[in-house]
Amino acid sequence: MPTEQPYLRPAQGQVSETVEIKRSQFIAVAQRTDSETAARAFIDDVRSTYPDARHHCTAYIIHQDGAQPIERSSDDGEPAGTAGQPMLEVLRGREILDITVMVVRYFGGVLLGTGGLVRAYQQATRAAVDSLSLVRRHHVALHQFTVGHDKAGRVEAELRVAGYTIADVEYAAEVTMTIAAEPGTDVAGAVASLTGGDVEVSSAGEQWVDSPVA
């Protein structure tokens, strides 16, 4: 059985949205980051793209297997609690992990006050998040069996036609196939019906996969 619950995360690619409030520009850039190292690299990259901005505020949430997600935020010179934490709250509210958002601010000369800053950074973050394509990351169970070369091609083809995902095929004296399927799927029964029941299917663990969000 899966040890981790499914969760939403961005598909690959970067998005950028600009919000203008009282002559200040808030440029929100968001991207999937699979680790804290990737998040920091993304932050450095965006900061170097906008080196003349007054503030580079950030928030990220990174999934960890078997542990609570890593959450970090930075106000980068804005009054404490007016930028990074409000941005992080947007990400929490959308229940998206493996994501980093930086909001770059070009000051327009008009002070927004603490409440105005909170609303501005959240508005910019929401704009970027709304532009993202999302995937659902979830576990699949892996099933493995060995079959002779004379049957391998037909068995593989029929499994694919039936909708099964062939995760790996190894050719040696015999052919070893690995099938990825949702937990609870009767893979052994499907393989038995194609091989006359003389093939043993064993568990090969589980792995994460991404599926499009409808």
Side-chain angles (χ1 to χ4, degrees):
M1 295 295 291
T3 57
E4 300 279 343
Q5 293 299 310
Y7 66 90
L8 293 175
R9 67 175 183 166
Q12 295 288 7
Q14 186 179 109
V15 299
S16 177
E17 295 290 338
T18 301
V19 174
E20 185 169 329
I21 300 173
K22 294 184 178 179
R23 299 204 298 269
S24 279
Q25 276 197 331
F26 296 83
I27 304 170
V29 188
Q31 180 174 298
R32 184 168 101 191
T33 48
D34 297 333
S35 66
E36 196 164 17
T37 299
R40 290 169 177 160
F42 166 75
I43 289 168
D44 290 342
D45 181 61
V46 178
R47 185 184 293 272
S48 68
T49 303
Y50 302 95
D52 56 337
R54 176 170 290 194
H55 303 285
H56 304 79
C57 303
T58 57
Y60 61 81
I61 304 180
I62 309 297
H63 174 268
Q64 293 189 103
D65 285 349
Q68 290 298 310
I70 299 170
E71 297 185 353
R72 301 282 188 270
S73 65
S74 169
D75 295 315
D76 193 43
E78 293 283 28
T82 62
Q85 190 64 27
M87 292 166 61
L88 195 58
E89 288 171 2
V90 171
L91 302 184
R92 288 176 183 150
R94 299 297 177 90
E95 298 183 340
I96 301 173
L97 306 181
D98 294 342
I99 182 173
T100 302
V101 179
M102 172 176 277
V103 177
V104 177
R105 183 188 182 191
Y106 286 92
F107 184 55
V110 178
L111 296 175
L112 302 182
T114 56
L117 286 172
V118 169
R119 289 189 293 272
Y121 279 100
Q122 289 192 324
Q123 182 180 340
T125 302
R126 281 192 293 267
V129 171
D130 287 344
S131 297
L132 287 168
S133 295
L134 299 178
V135 295
R136 185 173 300 279
R137 192 176 189 227
H138 60 105
H139 268 117
V140 292
L142 299 177
H143 307 264
Q144 198 169 77
F145 64 94
T146 301
V147 66
H149 286 267
D150 58 327
K151 296 181 180 179
R154 177 184 60 82
V155 170
E156 179 180 354
E158 293 192 23
L159 285 170
R160 290 187 187 277
V161 168
Y164 289 94
T165 299
I166 309 299
D168 187 49
V169 180
E170 294 183 5
Y171 295 91
E174 291 189 297
V175 180
T176 300
M177 293 188 196
T178 304
I179 297 176
E182 294 295 326
T185 303
D186 185 16
V187 174
V191 172
S193 69
L194 295 174
T195 60
D198 59 354
V199 170
E200 181 178 347
V201 179
S202 60
S203 173
E206 55 187 42
Q207 69 180 21
W208 285 108
V209 296
D210 288 339
S211 299
V213 176

